[in-house]
């Protein structure tokens, strides 16, 4: 069974535009993303960068085009209004004043596509957890005072996009996909609000696994998502991802493509290519193979992959 994660970067600048582009069938980026998904041929695929709509029509159309009979999404925190100044710029109503960065509610959400049935009735959604309620939260401060304010911190959810534990009914029994899309640890000030939030979003999985937050998976599971943090290069508090990768409950098989373990192709020299997307199976699984869909430059697929997203799909083949 192949489990994959892919930040498609299909988010659009306004509500309904992603659905419009899907319906027209002429968008080159969407065509490229669908070709990448078809090439990867994953049984379960965690997606990021997918605009959420309340009716689910956009996701339904995408799943049909990609050939997946099962799809799942919840409303993300991106673009969710707070009515507060959440970034400390003295203004209200900007994209950074939402629970997670977004120009509109649902911009750049997450989804699961699956060939296997999804037990939607038993999904565990941790997205409403307040940042200040997480164990050992690294809440930002300026001159010893809460940043941007105590009122903002009392309302601030931890998840930039979401944290879901999604049960999948596999051929050998149920397993869980733990998926998320963390905040990039940049685009802030000396208070390091985004860096600290990114750290705590990644650490949330360790709190789940040690049963201090939520309900830990009772059997096999896979963490699949965009952590927005490289264990060596780029910005961010590295201890979060290194601690996750070192968990005795997980296997980091370090999938590779043409750029080694890197999964995102960003501007050179800074931040450059980074490893930020992860598929981490629990120790219940036998790992058969893995990879990053990052072809060599002379591969016919290379231009398609580059046109689809700056992120590259990561996959792991698993067996009980």
């Amino acid at each position: 069974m192949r489990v994959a994660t892919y930040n498609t970067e299909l988010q659009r600048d306004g509500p309904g535009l992603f659905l419009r582009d899907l319906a027209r069938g002429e968008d080159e980026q969407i065509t490229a993303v669908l070709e990448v998904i078809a090439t990867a041929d994953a049984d379960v695929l965690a997606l990021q960068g997918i605009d959420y709509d309340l009716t689910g029509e956009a996701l339904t159309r995408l799943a049909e085009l990609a050939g997946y009979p099962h799809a799942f999404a919840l409303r993300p925190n991106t673009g969710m209004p707070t009515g507060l100044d959440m970034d400390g710029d003295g203004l209200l109503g900007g994209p950074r004043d939402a629970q997670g960065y977004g120009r509109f509610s649902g911009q750049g959400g997450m989804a699961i596509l699956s060939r296997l049935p999804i037990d939607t009735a038993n999904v565990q959604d941790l997205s409403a957890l307040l940042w200040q309620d997480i164990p050992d939260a690294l809440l930002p401060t300026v001159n010893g005072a809460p940043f941007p304010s105590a009122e903002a911190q009392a309302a601030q959810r931890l998840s930039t996009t979401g944290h879901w534990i999604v049960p999948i009914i596999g051929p050998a029994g149920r397993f869980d996909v733990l998926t998320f899309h963390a905040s990039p640890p940049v685009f802030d000030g000396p208070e390091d609000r985004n860096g600290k939030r990114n750290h705590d979003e990644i650490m949330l999985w360790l709190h789940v696994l040690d049963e201090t937050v939520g309900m830990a998976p009772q059997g096999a599971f896979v963490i699949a998502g965009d952590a927005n943090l490289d264990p060596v290069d780029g910005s961010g508090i590295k201890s979060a991802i290194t601690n996750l990768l070192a968990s005795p409950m997980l296997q980091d098989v370090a999938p590779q493509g043409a750029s080694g373990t890197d999964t995102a192709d960003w501007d050179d020299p800074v931040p450059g290519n980074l490893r930020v997307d992860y598929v981490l199976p629990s120790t219940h699984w036998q790992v058969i193979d893995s990879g990053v869909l990052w072809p060599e430059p002379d591969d016919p697929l290379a231009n398609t992959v580059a046109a689809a997203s700056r992120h590259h799909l990561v996959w792991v083949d698993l067996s009980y």
Side-chain angles (χ1 to χ4, degrees), residues 53-72:
D53 63 280
L54 188 60
T55 65
E57 185 176 353
L59 180 59
T60 298
R61 283 178 178 263
L62 181 68
E64 290 174 350
L65 290 168
Y68 284 89
H70 306 285
F72 173 80

Side-chain angles (χ1 to χ4, degrees), residues 47-233:
L47 296 177
Q48 304 87 44
I50 298 289
D51 290 344
Y52 174 83
D53 63 280
L54 188 60
T55 65
E57 185 176 353
L59 180 59
T60 298
R61 283 178 178 263
L62 181 68
E64 290 174 350
L65 290 168
Y68 284 89
H70 306 285
F72 173 80
L74 294 170
R75 181 186 180 186
N77 287 339
T78 50
M80 184 181 292
T82 64
L84 300 170
D85 177 11
M86 304 299 281
D87 63 350
D89 67 355
L91 303 174
L92 298 176
R96 291 185 175 85
D97 294 320
Q99 286 290 358
Y101 181 91
R103 296 181 176 88
F104 59 91
S105 183
Q107 184 184 32
M110 310 188 305
I112 298 283
L113 299 182
S114 180
R115 292 179 179 144
L116 304 169
I118 302 171
D119 183 4
T120 57
N122 289 301
V123 170
Q124 189 178 168
D125 182 14
L126 305 177
S127 308
L129 291 172
L130 295 180
W131 187 359
Q132 66 179 10
D133 291 341
I134 302 302
D136 304 315
L138 297 182
L139 296 171
T141 60
V142 171
N143 297 324
F147 178 89
S149 67
E151 183 183 18
Q153 287 194 1
Q156 178 67 74
R157 296 181 174 192
L158 173 65
S159 302
T160 298
T161 313
H163 283 80
W164 309 337
I165 301 177
V166 181
I168 306 291
I169 309 303
R174 164 184 160 150
F175 66 94
D176 292 306
V177 174
L178 284 59
T179 190
F180 74 130
H181 184 186
S183 177
V186 290
F187 310 122
D188 54 15
E191 82 289 340
D192 197 22
R193 176 177 180 259
N194 293 340
K196 291 176 178 178
R197 188 178 187 183
N198 172 275
H199 172 279
D200 287 355
E201 288 187 84
I202 296 169
M203 290 297 294
L204 180 61
W205 292 131
L206 291 176
H207 296 315
V208 168
L209 297 181
D210 68 17
E211 300 184 295
T212 57
V213 175
M215 296 176 59
Q218 298 303 300
F221 64 91
V222 182
I223 297 177
D226 183 350
N228 256 320
L229 189 63
D230 185 294
V232 178
D233 298 321

